[in-house]
Structure formats: structure tokens, C-alpha cells
Amino acid sequence: MIILAVATGSVYGQEVTERIWFCRTNGRIETDSSAMRTAEWRNRVVCDFLRYAVPSADTTAIDYCDTYSSLMMDDSICMSIDRITFPNSGDTQFKWFADIPEKGYADIDIPSEAPEKCIAFRKDSTLIIVWCNLFADSDKVYHTTLSSFVESYNR
């Protein structure tokens, strides 16, 4: 596995406060040891989402890789982005995420301890999960900032 540790910087005017890459394979998380705590925390977030989106599947058996980023927006809104790819992607994942549009996004109602909301969308076979302030404008998050940030991953 290739491991990318924590990094910071700026993307399209947003401050990237943390970035980590990890994979969960056969129920084990593989990452740089300095980033293990963040990887375990993001794994719980992703698993909560998968349990919500795919209630009939055994989410502990789903292998995936995640590029996690934490952003601070120009208007002081914090958000976290999980860009999830599945090494064994195929028709199964597309059926699971049929309610998540490839153009646009879905507001997902996942109970959270923090006052956050979740929006999700797909880009090809990649699932993007965004947690942001409960009072943030989802259209603004998706259209003006997030879409530019996600495009930067595809270069």
C-alpha cells in the first residue's frame, strides 16, 4: 500500500488543515503510524455512512481507500471531505449508491454528535462524503468550493 501522511496547504482559496490517505483491507487499517488516530476516526465516519447507505451489506467486509482532507473555508466554515475509492469496484457499489447522484449531490441524514450535516456525491466510481456546518448552504459547499477542490484530485 502507498501511504500519504498529514499535509497542509491551500487549494482554491481554502486552507487545507489536514490531509491523510489510508486503506482498510480485510478489516485492517493501513496508514502511516503518525496518522493512525485520524485514520481510525475517519474509518468510523465512513463506516457510519456505509451502514446508512447500505444497510443490507456487511460494512465491515467492505475494502476501501480514503483520502481525507480537512478544510477551512474563506467564510470560516470548516468541512471534512472523504474521497473513497473501492479496489473491487463494480456493479455492487453502483447499486449501493444509486440514491447518490453523479451530477449534483444528496443531503444525507446521518445522526451525528456534532452539529454537522453530510452531503454526498459520486464522481465516476469514487464516493465523496462531505461533513460541514449544519447551517452551511449545501449548494454553496457543492458548487462554489467543493467541486473545484475535487477537480484538483483528478489532475
Side-chain angles (χ1 to χ4, degrees):
M1 288 286 135
I2 299 172
I3 306 303
L4 175 68
V6 176
T8 60
S10 176
V11 176
Y12 294 99
Q14 299 95 21
E15 181 184 353
V16 179
T17 58
E18 185 176 23
R19 182 174 288 160
I20 181 175
W21 188 82
F22 69 93
C23 287
R24 184 176 80 172
T25 307
N26 297 323
R28 285 189 48 165
I29 297 171
E30 299 175 20
T31 191
D32 182 310
S33 62
S34 66
M36 185 57 84
R37 178 176 267 159
T38 301
E40 289 171 343
W41 170 57
R42 294 320 296 177
N43 178 58
R44 283 197 312 267
V45 170
V46 171
C47 286
D48 284 349
F49 180 88
L50 292 174
R51 273 193 291 279
Y52 174 85
V54 196
S56 61
D58 177 11
T59 57
T60 61
I62 299 172
D63 292 339
Y64 69 87
C65 291
D66 184 4
T67 302
Y68 161 73
S69 298
S70 177
L71 297 179
M72 176 64 75
M73 309 299 286
D74 289 338
D75 53 3
S76 299
I77 293 176
C78 294
M79 69 172 60
S80 60
I81 304 169
D82 290 285
R83 180 180 178 267
I84 302 163
T85 56
F86 301 92
N88 301 322
S89 65
D91 293 338
T92 304
Q93 278 86 11
F94 289 116
K95 290 177 191 171
W96 287 347
F97 306 125
D99 293 338
I100 300 170
E102 285 193 72
K103 294 188 186 281
Y105 62 91
D107 277 306
I108 307 295
D109 186 20
I110 298 176
S112 171
E113 293 177 16
E116 291 182 313
K117 67 178 167 182
C118 175
I119 67 171
F121 61 97
R122 291 184 293 147
K123 189 143 183 78
D124 302 321
S125 61
T126 301
L127 175 66
I128 312 292
I129 305 170
V130 182
W131 288 91
C132 59
N133 184 299
L134 185 61
F135 304 106
D137 180 346
S138 296
D139 283 340
K140 181 180 177 189
V141 169
Y142 177 75
H143 290 295
T144 63
T145 39
L146 189 59
S147 57
S148 297
F149 184 75
V150 171
E151 285 299 321
S152 71
Y153 276 114
N154 293 325
R155 291 186 184 144

